[in-house]
Amino acid sequence: MADNVRELRPKAPDTEKITINLGYVDLGHVDLMVQEGFYSNRTDFIRTAIRNQLERHGEVVRQSTARKNLDLGLRNYTREDLEAARRAGEMLQINVLGLATIAQDVTPELARATIASVSVLGALHATPAVKAALADRTR
């Protein structure tokens, strides 16, 4: 049965790895909280701290997201989307808070012909060639 299962579209990762530098005392405090059972590990502590700060400033984030006309979450741009924009004579303004993905089969030429600007708060997934083609249009 497993031989008949095919992945139609690769699953996008739902997280992005970041690195932070902490002072030894702060790191010790985190380790103490983990040791005392408040958190399962350092990552759990850091995720919880980030979520608490985002919640604390949630209204400001919502207002800013609306003011800047940001698409929230995951936004996928397929070759078909870009070809339709080219046929319509439109240039896309990509404004995403989350993850923006430009499909693997999009050529650098098609990207330059149809994408006027790229502003992503979070992560942009595209081929290195497409990212290079859009470098002067990316904020």
Side-chain angles (χ1 to χ4, degrees):
M1 183 73 146
D3 293 339
N4 294 335
V5 176
R6 293 198 183 121
E7 188 175 16
L8 297 177
R9 169 178 348 148
K11 184 177 184 283
D14 59 353
T15 62
E16 185 84 12
K17 184 175 183 174
I18 63 170
T19 302
I20 62 169
N21 295 318
L22 286 177
Y24 298 119
V25 173
D26 290 339
L27 185 58
H29 281 108
V30 172
D31 286 345
L32 180 63
M33 298 295 286
V34 170
Q35 188 178 57
E36 292 296 315
F38 290 97
Y39 301 95
S40 59
N41 54 43
R42 290 175 175 175
T43 300
D44 183 32
F45 175 89
I46 292 166
R47 276 194 196 118
T48 301
I50 290 169
R51 287 183 185 128
N52 287 341
Q53 287 300 306
L54 291 173
E55 185 178 317
R56 181 177 179 196
H57 301 288
E59 186 56 34
V60 172
V61 170
R62 280 186 286 284
Q63 290 172 4
S64 186
T65 300
R67 186 178 70 250
K68 294 178 183 226
N69 293 318
L70 296 170
D71 288 337
L72 185 61
L74 306 176
R75 183 64 168 94
N76 188 35
Y77 296 89
T78 66
R79 188 182 78 218
E80 293 77 22
D81 294 334
L82 299 185
E83 287 173 346
R86 181 166 49 187
R87 283 191 301 275
E90 297 174 355
M91 293 291 284
L92 302 176
Q93 311 282 332
I94 296 176
N95 295 307
V96 174
L97 188 151
L99 172 64
T101 302
I102 300 174
Q104 297 290 308
D105 61 350
V106 170
T107 65
E109 296 77 23
L110 179 59
R112 282 199 63 79
T114 56
I115 299 173
S117 66
V118 178
S119 177
V120 178
L121 299 170
L124 171 64
H125 289 183
T127 64
V130 167
K131 284 184 178 182
L134 297 173
D136 63 329
R137 301 173 185 192
T138 302
R139 301 188 297 268

